[in-house]
Structures are given as C-alpha cells and as structure tokens.
Amino acid sequence: MTWWTVVRFLHVLSAALWVGGQLTVSLVVLPLARRMLDTDRRADVLRAVGRRFGLFTGAVFLPVQLATGVAIAVHKGVTWASLAEPGYGRTLAAKLLLFCVVMVAAALHGWATGRRPGIARALAVISLVGSVGIVLLATALPAT
C-alpha cells in the first residue's frame, strides 16, 4: 500500500460519507420525520439534522475532498490545459464543475431553509442529484 492509496481512500471515503449522508437524510430521515412527527417537532429535528450535517460538511468532508483532490491532481500531473483534453481531463473538468454547482446549491439551500421552503427543497434536490452525478463521473474517470 502506497501513500497515494491512502490519499485516494480518504478522498473516496469522504465522498461516500458525504453523498451517503445526503441519501440517508433524503430517503430515510425525511420520510420518517414527515410521517412520525408533528409539524413543529419535525421542523426542529430537521433543522438540527441539517445544521449537524452542514457542520460535518464544512469541517470534515469539504476540507478532506479539497485537500485530497488537489493532491491527487498534482500527483497525476493535471494542469488547467489538460482539463480540456478528451478522456481523463474532460471527465475531471465535468466532475469539478458539477462539484462547484453542488457546493453553491448546498450553500443556498442552507440559506433558503426556513425562509423559502420551496426553493430550499429544489436546491436540496439539485445538490443530491448533482452529488450522485459527481460519483458517476468519478467512476467514469479513466485509469491512468
């Protein structure tokens, strides 16, 4: 096992926990909260879950993703110009662009929650679908 295996492992583990957390909240926690809790209690629980998940995202998932992603890119010799090349470069560029879209959607979701529920829900769906798209693009990266 090499150092780069550990770096890639941390990158994949952090992404799995982040996307898995989004899926768990969306597919397990939200439906149960809607069915089992009254409106006020549901709002309190979901707000607490959102804050905690946001805290983990900002304090753990995002820093690990950025640090390991940059390290992997440097190790692989990725340049700005190489992001326009077919294969690895374009797939990575699409993944990075989608990652930026997801981060903006997630940040706006946090802002919209409690202020604009309809917009918050749409942003949550955009973030979740985009996150799954990032995983798809990551698996599509050609081995180099």
Side-chain angles (χ1 to χ4, degrees), residues 8 72-73 76-78 82-83 85-95 134-144:
R8 281 191 310 273
I72 292 166
K76 289 192 170 287
V78 173
S82 70
L83 293 175
E85 295 174 5
Y88 191 91
R90 286 188 190 159
T91 304
L92 180 59
K95 179 184 170 213
I134 291 167
V135 173
L136 176 64
L137 289 168
T139 60
L141 284 169
T144 58

Side-chain angles (χ1 to χ4, degrees), residues 78 80 83 91-101 137:
V78 173
W80 290 111
L83 293 175
T91 304
L92 180 59
K95 179 184 170 213
L96 294 172
L97 178 62
L98 190 54
F99 179 78
C100 291
V101 169
L137 289 168

Side-chain angles (χ1 to χ4, degrees), residues 15-31:
L17 291 171
W18 179 54
V19 177
Q22 288 179 319
L23 288 167
T24 300
V25 169
S26 298
L27 300 175
V28 177
V29 175
L30 286 174

Side-chain angles (χ1 to χ4, degrees), residues 42-127:
R42 179 175 59 233
D44 290 343
V45 167
L46 295 178
R47 191 176 305 112
V49 168
R51 279 191 191 129
R52 187 158 185 113
F53 193 74
L55 176 66
F56 274 94
T57 296
V60 179
F61 303 144
L62 190 55
V64 170
Q65 288 296 285
L66 293 174
T68 57
V70 168
I72 292 166
V74 168
H75 178 69
K76 289 192 170 287
V78 173
T79 64
W80 290 111
S82 70
L83 293 175
E85 295 174 5
Y88 191 91
R90 286 188 190 159
T91 304
L92 180 59
K95 179 184 170 213
L96 294 172
L97 178 62
L98 190 54
F99 179 78
C100 291
V101 169
V102 166
M103 288 295 102
V104 169
L108 290 174
H109 168 74
W111 168 84
T113 300
R115 293 179 184 94
R116 308 259 191 220
I119 293 172
R121 182 172 288 177
L123 289 165
V125 170
I126 290 168
S127 182

